[in-house]
């Protein structure tokens, strides 16, 4: 049977013992990973729209405070450090997984989760402090855009934390299998993606805010 | 925060005979459905075969039924509006009702009729055409359907509970902000679109991956049927356009619920931001719905001309060109914003350019028919009706794209006629062509021709009678979204003609529906699986296809694969030795997509009325469903060879 290898995107020619295996006989983990990349592309457009909104509205402070007046340098620097570190440890987790080191995989995932929680804690504190001062969502267009953009990222991170916990439990129960490995890989993609988005938030929102 | 919503007379919409009529019919229909299901003991069947299915063919059928029902509801809205406009100074609908009806009409037709109809055709045909056993993510596919379904339910519920939205299908702020629009109607609009939008994005991703990764061996990209290319282009558009709508709707909802200032007049908000985002989605959206229709016409025209499609490569190129350019034309929806000559010229040019690949496609369809042995079947009739129709729609689009001229046409009946010509002449004609074409594949019998022909002619002629006068009315200064007009404007005759045309289309729809009912009882069986002498792989299967589709995955050696196989057989070339049957891996049914989407519905309903406890319960249930799925390792099974053999034998195949 001749199998055409027509294009870049054709079937991965998976072979078992020299015999070609139909994709449909056997669920292919790459399919999930590819699909997840596409989801991330779509999510990126979502963030791009929020960034665009922020860019348009960030000077519309109405009677409220300006960015410079409310951004707390230590706070957002700490958040940035936490999230960047967590992305690094998440990378270490998948690295350990590739080498079959189950113990390290679990350990690094736990460390990642702790940094993620610290990040969320600091962000919640930042939001709470500002709203206590009376600078809420409804104060000005600038603040609406700020809370929504940063908050959407925060919601993504919180969701990522819950998801990672669920997967961690599965790793504890089942060890590294084809399925758990795929799941760890996908959640780590998600985590790195959120890190990249944060880098943009850090520069576009916070750095520009305190300097402008 | 408005809390008058607990008051019953606000909660249930009262005081209007139309609404009481709807209340009664909803209750009667619900009781009838429950009674029939109970009497015939069909609850288990409904749950096992339909509500929990992950089979793309059944999901496709459910999308199609929903789309036809929504076409009916949207059509009734249209007839109500046309009745009100038939004569000057009519007192049939009040202004508020008219506003609600044009809003629900537009929203339903685009999001709850056109979208599910294209999803129906994608689901029914794509896996069969590419030689796959299902889509890439069947479980996600079921979620998509139920998210659409419950989004549509939430939207339709507004009619009887709380009141319909009334700020237009575009829902522009500041009119749609809570300052001017207190009622729950706008919340319904925002949440219903949000819920079904999640489903749409998932469908886009699903079909993108399916088409790129699940094709049968030998089916290179350039051997795919054109419908697959069209759906690939549509999927890309969905993936990159829908998130923008998600954001636009979310920000408007935050404005309304949390008192933010994105689009308000006070607090530094900027309403034009919404309008930009809406159309950054909205223009690609019109191509999201029309490209699959183009794909269907390509299949239908090739099959019924008995020829390969003319200019395949240029067809692919023009689909891709349209997909890309459609992201750069959005501002033509508001040239009148006054962005300045530079910006307006850019968008005028990009809009004109998009007409070129569209023209290329029209010429290719014509060239395919030229010298072919054309069989004028029902699907082919819709394709033939489409070509002149879309040519006019495209031409008036180019007229609108001339920015200075658009200051005259904008928001007039000329615009209304333009987009109905493209949406009805393009999308609705396309989906009906697809429905007649693939019906035997879905159900195993053909739709009867006589009713279908009556339906086609009434609908097609009715279309011109309805919309050509509207172009003229636009020139005469009649603007859109007005609920009445005085005598002496010179508009009366043309409006009356237009209304007559609308009722002709309504009659056409009734013929189509009657034809479906008639064919269920007396339709001709399709015993061969290939009633049209088709060219693509879905016709190699029996009708309806077994639930695993292909017992053996076909090997493709050329474009129009099934046609080639048939030709080779005629010439005595024996099909290559066939492999042994092997157990087939299939996903298991699951009730979770249904429950998950129901939970979204509950959460959304809570948000509409600011009943946050309900929202929390809804989202908790959503989270539970997601977690349960994550921990579920029993998601698939194998069909044993014996069972495959038995099924194949029942179709007389081996
Ligand atoms: C040849 C290609 C086309 C061109 C050049 C074109 C051009 C335009 C322009 C310039 C407008 C804005 C006019 C105004 O608001 O004053 C418009 C509106 C519209 N077009 Fe098209 N168009 C084309 C094809 C289509 C297609 C294929 C569809 C749908 C399947 C479509 C659906 C619409 C809709 C829905 C609106 C207006 C919606 C609203 O304002 O509510 N158009 N078109
Ligand atoms: Cu447009």
């Amino acid at each position: 049977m001749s199998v055409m290898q027509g294009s870049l995107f054709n079937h991965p020619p998976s072979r078992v013992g020299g015999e070609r295996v139909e994709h449909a006989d056997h669920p292919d983990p790459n399919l999930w990973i590819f699909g997840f990349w596409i989801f991330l592309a779509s999510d990126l457009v979502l963030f791009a729209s929020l960034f665009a909104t922020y860019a348009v509205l960030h000077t519309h402070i109405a009677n409220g405070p300006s960015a410079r007046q409310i951004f707390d340098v230590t706070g957002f620097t700490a958040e940035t450090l936490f999230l960047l570190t967590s992305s690094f440890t998440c990378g270490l987790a998948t690295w350990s997984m590739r080498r079959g080191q189950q113990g390290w995989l679990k350990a690094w995932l736990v460390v990642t989760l702790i940094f993620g929680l610290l990040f969320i804690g600091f962000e919640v504190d930042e939001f709470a402090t500002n709203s206590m001062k009376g600078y809420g969502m409804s104060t000005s267009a600038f603040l609406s855009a700020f809370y929504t953009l940063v908050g959407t990222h925060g919601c993504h991170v919180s969701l990522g934390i819950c998801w990672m916990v669920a997967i961690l439990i599965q790793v504890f129960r089942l060890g590294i299998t084809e399925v758990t490995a795929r799941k760890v890989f996908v959640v780590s993609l998600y985590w790195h993606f959120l890190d990249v988005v944060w880098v943009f938030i850090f520069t576009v929102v916070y750095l520009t805010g305190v300097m402008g | 925060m408005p809390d008058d919503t607990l008051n019953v007379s606000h909660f249930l919409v009262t005081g209007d005979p139309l609404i009481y009529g709807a209340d009664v019919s909803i209750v009667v229909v619900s009781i009838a459905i429950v009674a029939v299901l109970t009497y015939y003991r069909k609850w288990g069947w409904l749950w096992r075969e339909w509500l929990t299915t992950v089979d793309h063919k059944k999901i496709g059928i459910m999308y199609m039924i929903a789309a036809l029902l929504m076409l009916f509801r949207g059509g009734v809205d249209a007839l109500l509006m046309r009745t009100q406009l038939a004569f000057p100074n009519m007192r049939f609908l009040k202004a508020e009702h008219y506003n609600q009806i044009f809003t629900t009409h537009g929203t339903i037709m685009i999001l709850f009729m056109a979208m599910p109809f294209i999803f129906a055709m994608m689901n029914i045909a794509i896996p069969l055409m590419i030689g796959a056993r299902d889509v890439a993510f069947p479980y996600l596919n079921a979620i998509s359907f139920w998210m659409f379904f419950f989004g549509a339910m939430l939207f339709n519920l507004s009619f009887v509970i709380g009141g319909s939205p009334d700020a237009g299908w575009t829902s522009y702020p500041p009119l749609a902000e809570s300052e001017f629009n207190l009622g729950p109607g706008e919340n319904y609009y925002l949440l219903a679109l949000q819920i079904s939008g999640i489903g749409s994005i998932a469908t886009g991703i699903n079909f993108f991956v399916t088409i790129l990764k699940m094709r049968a061996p030998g089916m290179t990209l350039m051997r795919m049927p054109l419908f697959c290319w069209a759906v690939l282009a549509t999927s890309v558009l969905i993936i990159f356009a829908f998130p923008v709508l998600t954001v636009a709707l979310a920000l408007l909802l935050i404005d309304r619920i949390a008192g933010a200032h994105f689009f308000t007049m006070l607090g530094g908000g900027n309403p034009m931001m919404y309008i930009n985002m809406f159309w950054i989605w909205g223009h690609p959206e019109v191509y999201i719905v029309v490209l699959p229709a183009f794909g269907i016409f390509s299949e239908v025209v090739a099959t019924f001309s008995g020829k390969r499609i003319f200019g395949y490569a240029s067809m692919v190129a023009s689909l891709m060109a349209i997909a890309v350019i459609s992201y750069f034309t959005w501002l033509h929806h508001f040239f009148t914003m006054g962005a300045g000559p530079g910006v307006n010229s850019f968008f005028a040019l990009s809009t004109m350019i998009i007409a070129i690949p569209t023209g290329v496609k029209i010429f290719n369809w014509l060239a395919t028919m030229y010298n072919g042995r054309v069989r004028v079947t029902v699907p082919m009739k819709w394709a033939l009706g489409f070509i002149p129709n879309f040519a006019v729609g495209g031409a008036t689009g180019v007229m609108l794209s001339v920015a200075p001229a658009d200051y005259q046409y904008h928001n007039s009946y000329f615009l209304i006629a333009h987009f109905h010509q493209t949406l009805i002449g393009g999308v609705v004609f396309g989906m009906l062509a697809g429905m007649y074409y693939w019906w035997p594949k879905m159900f195993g019998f053909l739709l009867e021709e006589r009713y279908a022909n009556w339906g086609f002619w009434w609908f097609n002629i009715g279309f011109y009678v309805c919309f050509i006068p509207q172009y003229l009315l636009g020139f005469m200064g009649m603007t859109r979204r007005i609920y009445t007009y005085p005598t002496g404007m010179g508009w009366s005759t043309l409006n009356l003609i237009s209304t007559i045309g609308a009722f002709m289309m309504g009659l056409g729809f009734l013929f189509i529906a009657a034809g479906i009912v008639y064919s269920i009882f007396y339709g001709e069986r399709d015993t061969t699986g290939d009633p049209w002498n088709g060219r693509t792989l879905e016709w190699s299967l029996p009708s309806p296809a077994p639930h695993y589709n292909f017992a053996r995955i076909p090997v493709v050696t050329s474009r129009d694969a099934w046609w080639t196989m048939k030709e080779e057989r005629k010439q005595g070339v024996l099909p290559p030795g066939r492999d042994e049957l092997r157990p087939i891996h299939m996903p298991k049914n699951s009730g979770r997509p249904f429950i998950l989407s129901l939970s979204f519905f509950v959460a959304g309903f809570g948000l509409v009325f600011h009943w946050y406890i309900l929202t929390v319960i809804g989202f908790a249930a959503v989270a539970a469903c997601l977690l349960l799925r994550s921990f579920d390792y029993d998601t698939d099974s194998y069909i044993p060879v014996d069972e495959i053999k038995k099924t194949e034998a029942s179709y007389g195949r081996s």
Side-chain angles (χ1 to χ4, degrees):
Chain A
M1 177 163 104
S2 78
V3 176
M4 305 289 294
Q5 209 44 58
S7 78
L8 186 64
F9 284 120
N10 235 323
H11 289 294
S14 41
R15 279 163 203 281
V16 174
E19 214 199 332
R20 191 173 180 287
V21 176
E22 302 293 355
H23 60 85
D25 290 352
H26 183 77
D28 177 0
N30 289 321
L31 215 58
W32 292 88
I33 293 168
F34 182 63
F36 198 75
W37 274 106
I38 309 300
F39 163 74
L40 289 183
S42 175
D43 212 20
L44 195 63
V45 178
L46 185 126
F47 276 110
S49 314
L50 290 172
F51 273 110
T53 311
Y54 182 81
V56 168
L57 298 177
H58 79 285
T59 51
H60 298 204
I61 57 174
N63 297 322
S66 68
R68 206 181 186 150
Q69 283 165 306
I70 59 164
F71 289 167
D72 165 33
V73 180
T74 17
F76 71 73
T77 316
E79 284 171 42
T80 307
L81 284 177
F82 292 144
L83 206 64
L84 291 187
T85 319
S86 82
S87 203
F88 180 64
T89 57
C90 184
L92 289 176
T94 39
W95 188 67
S96 317
M97 183 177 79
R98 287 242 166 81
R99 297 161 43 120
Q101 298 165 329
Q102 232 183 87
W104 283 110
L105 166 63
K106 292 174 201 160
W108 286 125
L109 283 183
V110 171
V111 176
T112 308
L113 282 170
I114 293 173
F115 278 114
L117 283 169
L118 279 171
F119 169 83
I120 292 292
F122 269 64
E123 185 162 278
V124 169
D125 178 63
E126 180 195 352
F127 282 15
T129 324
N130 282 331
S131 355
M132 227 94 93
K133 289 190 203 144
Y135 305 146
M137 187 78 138
S138 49
T139 309
S140 66
F142 153 63
L143 282 175
S144 306
F146 166 75
Y147 283 117
T148 306
L149 169 59
V150 181
T152 304
H153 176 268
C155 286
H156 273 70
V157 175
S158 312
L159 197 84
I161 291 176
C162 299
W163 185 13
M164 203 179 271
V165 170
I167 289 169
L168 188 61
I169 296 174
Q170 292 169 46
V171 173
F172 268 101
R173 279 198 195 160
L174 303 166
I176 304 175
T177 67
E178 196 187 353
V179 178
T180 53
R182 183 196 81 210
K183 290 187 174 182
V184 171
F185 188 75
V186 170
V187 83
S188 76
L189 274 183
Y190 185 69
W191 200 261
H192 294 311
F193 166 77
L194 293 179
D195 204 46
V196 173
V197 173
W198 180 261
V199 172
F200 281 96
I201 293 184
F202 176 70
T203 39
V204 174
V205 177
Y206 287 107
L207 280 189
T208 341
V210 288
M211 293 193 309
Chain B
M1 217 130 288
D3 216 317
D4 51 357
T5 44
L6 287 172
N7 184 329
V8 179
S9 71
H10 279 249
F11 186 65
L12 288 176
V13 181
T14 49
D16 187 283
L18 280 175
I19 309 254
Y20 290 132
D23 287 339
V24 171
S25 54
I26 288 175
V27 172
V28 170
V29 171
S30 312
I31 293 177
I33 292 175
V34 170
V36 169
L37 285 172
T38 313
Y39 183 77
Y40 289 103
R41 310 208 172 162
K42 287 288 189 191
W43 285 104
W45 166 83
L46 184 69
W47 177 256
R48 277 190 311 275
E49 297 287 320
W50 297 95
L51 302 192
T52 61
T53 188
V54 293
D55 180 342
H56 69 97
K57 300 179 285 300
K58 287 187 176 164
I59 291 177
I61 289 172
M62 291 194 288
Y63 267 125
M64 191 178 72
I65 294 172
L68 288 171
L69 289 176
M70 287 293 108
L71 183 58
F72 177 74
R73 149 105 214 241
V76 172
D77 281 349
L79 294 182
L80 291 175
M81 287 190 286
R82 275 320 315 171
T83 308
Q84 166 66 20
L85 292 177
F87 302 102
N89 299 319
M90 272 289 270
R91 286 181 201 289
F92 175 61
L93 298 173
K94 290 199 223 73
E96 316 86 83
H97 288 143
Y98 192 84
N99 292 349
Q100 295 180 352
I101 291 175
F102 73 63
T103 302
T104 54
H105 166 77
T107 314
I108 285 181
M109 285 302 199
I110 302 253
L111 288 140
F112 301 126
M113 188 286 286
M115 290 300 280
F117 225 144
I118 67 160
F119 291 159
M121 296 300 140
M122 285 157 69
N123 268 290
I124 287 156
I126 290 290
L128 302 182
M129 278 184 151
I130 62 172
R133 289 191 173 128
D134 207 318
V135 294
F137 311 114
Y139 179 86
L140 186 66
N141 200 23
I143 295 182
S144 289
F145 173 75
W146 291 111
M147 292 296 274
F148 148 72
F149 178 85
F150 281 107
M153 292 293 275
L154 190 60
F155 190 81
N156 280 281
L157 199 61
S158 68
F159 191 59
V160 287
I161 299 183
S164 299
D166 58 0
W169 84 278
T170 48
S171 192
Y172 281 177
L175 180 62
E177 292 280 3
S178 39
E179 287 170 85
F180 304 106
N181 213 317
L182 252 188
E186 278 309 303
N187 295 351
Y188 270 118
Y189 168 94
L190 294 168
L191 288 153
L193 265 59
Q194 203 68 285
I195 291 174
S196 61
I198 299 172
S200 303
I201 295 180
T203 302
I205 297 174
N206 214 337
F207 279 83
F208 184 77
V209 178
T210 304
I211 293 174
L212 287 185
K213 295 283 193 187
M214 307 268 291
R215 279 167 291 128
M219 183 174 279
T220 58
L221 286 174
M222 290 306 271
R223 285 179 185 165
M224 291 199 302
L226 277 173
F227 182 62
C228 301
W229 273 107
V231 172
L232 187 66
T234 282
S235 305
V236 173
L237 287 173
I238 292 177
I239 292 165
F240 294 110
F242 262 81
V244 188
L245 177 70
T246 305
V247 170
L249 298 176
L251 300 188
L252 187 52
L253 189 71
I254 296 174
D255 269 3
R256 290 179 60 86
I257 286 187
H261 289 291
F262 288 106
F263 312 126
T264 53
M265 301 304 281
L266 301 172
N270 183 351
M272 282 322 289
M273 193 61 204
Y274 174 91
I275 296 172
N276 270 288
M277 283 200 281
F278 186 88
W279 287 111
I280 289 175
W281 162 78
H283 192 81
E285 165 67 11
V286 306
Y287 284 95
I288 288 171
V289 291
V290 88
L291 292 185
F294 288 177
I296 291 173
F297 292 128
S298 300
E299 301 304 325
V300 167
V301 167
T303 302
F304 296 112
S305 304
K307 277 171 71 186
R308 282 172 72 149
I309 196 85
F310 181 87
Y312 178 92
S314 64
M315 285 299 228
V316 173
S318 53
L319 280 172
M320 292 299 138
I322 291 174
V324 174
I325 304 171
S326 72
Y327 280 105
F328 299 98
T329 65
W330 81 85
L331 192 130
H332 67 214
H333 292 274
F334 44 95
F335 283 135
T336 48
M337 176 172 77
V343 174
N344 276 5
S345 311
F346 173 88
F347 283 95
L349 278 173
S350 63
T351 308
M352 293 172 195
I353 289 171
I354 211 166
I356 297 172
T358 317
V360 169
K361 300 190 75 70
I362 302 248
F363 282 113
N364 282 341
W365 286 313
L366 292 175
T368 308
M369 285 183 253
Y370 182 74
N371 263 347
R373 244 173 294 128
V374 177
R375 287 176 286 157
V376 189
T377 55
V378 178
M380 191 63 176
K381 283 209 180 75
W382 289 102
L384 290 171
F386 148 82
I387 289 177
N389 217 324
F390 206 81
V392 178
T396 54
V398 175
M399 287 171 74
L400 287 165
S401 71
V402 182
D406 186 61
Y407 275 69
Q408 282 302 314
Y409 306 137
H410 183 54
N411 281 351
S412 73
Y413 261 83
F414 187 86
L415 165 73
I416 302 293
H418 155 70
F419 73 72
H420 283 88
Q421 190 130 31
T422 49
L423 283 168
I424 295 178
V427 183
V428 177
F429 278 33
M431 293 308 123
L432 290 173
M435 181 181 89
Y436 282 102
Y437 184 59
W438 282 310
W439 189 278
K441 192 49 64 192
M442 289 182 249
F443 298 107
F445 61 88
L446 284 87
L447 286 174
E448 200 270 345
E449 282 215 13
R450 219 160 6 113
Y451 283 99
N453 283 333
W454 282 95
F456 169 75
W457 286 109
W458 279 105
F459 202 85
N460 196 30
I461 297 173
F463 177 84
Y464 290 96
V465 178
C466 182
F467 288 101
I468 298 297
Q470 296 189 8
Y471 283 120
L472 304 175
L473 284 167
F475 286 140
M476 294 162 77
M478 181 162 164
T479 51
R480 72 192 294 191
R481 294 174 179 169
I482 52 171
Y483 85 107
T484 190
Y485 52 93
T487 41
M489 304 288 288
W491 300 347
S492 310
T493 320
L494 287 171
N495 268 306
L496 182 60
I497 296 175
S498 180
T499 302
I500 293 171
F503 278 93
M504 289 169 72
M505 293 171 79
L507 193 61
F509 180 83
L510 290 183
F511 272 115
I512 293 170
I516 292 177
V517 176
Y518 178 87
S519 310
I520 290 176
F521 294 105
Y522 306 109
E524 184 195 330
R525 299 277 121 198
D526 168 24
T527 48
T528 59
D530 187 11
W532 310 117
N533 195 8
R535 313 180 68 80
T536 41
L537 284 176
E538 74 272 31
W539 306 111
S540 70
L541 293 171
S543 302
H547 66 128
Y548 48 77
N549 298 351
F550 294 89
R552 297 179 186 81
I553 300 290
V555 178
V556 175
T557 54
S558 68
R559 205 175 287 159
D560 288 355
W562 173 233
W563 187 262
T564 313
M565 290 177 197
K566 286 192 285 189
E567 288 295 303
E568 284 176 351
R569 256 179 234 174
K570 266 188 226 153
Q571 291 160 8
V573 183
L574 290 175
R578 290 192 302 176
D579 311 350
E580 276 298 291
L581 284 174
R582 264 177 292 164
I584 296 176
H585 173 268
M586 293 301 280
K588 278 192 179 163
N589 282 2
S590 169
R592 233 176 283 120
F594 180 86
I595 296 171
L596 173 79
S597 312
L598 178 65
S599 313
F600 267 105
F601 173 89
V602 171
F605 189 74
L607 273 177
V608 167
F609 288 101
H610 305 280
W611 294 343
Y612 296 114
I613 301 175
L614 211 55
T615 307
V616 172
I617 296 174
F619 280 128
V622 168
C625 286
L626 294 177
L627 279 176
L628 282 172
R629 168 69 179 179
S630 181
F631 283 93
D632 186 358
Y633 278 71
D634 181 27
T635 53
D636 19 33
S637 63
Y638 281 86
I639 308 177
V641 172
D642 282 348
E643 195 185 320
I644 306 171
K645 277 196 180 138
K646 229 183 280 163
T647 315
E648 291 292 300
S650 73
Y651 285 112
R653 301 186 180 213
S654 60

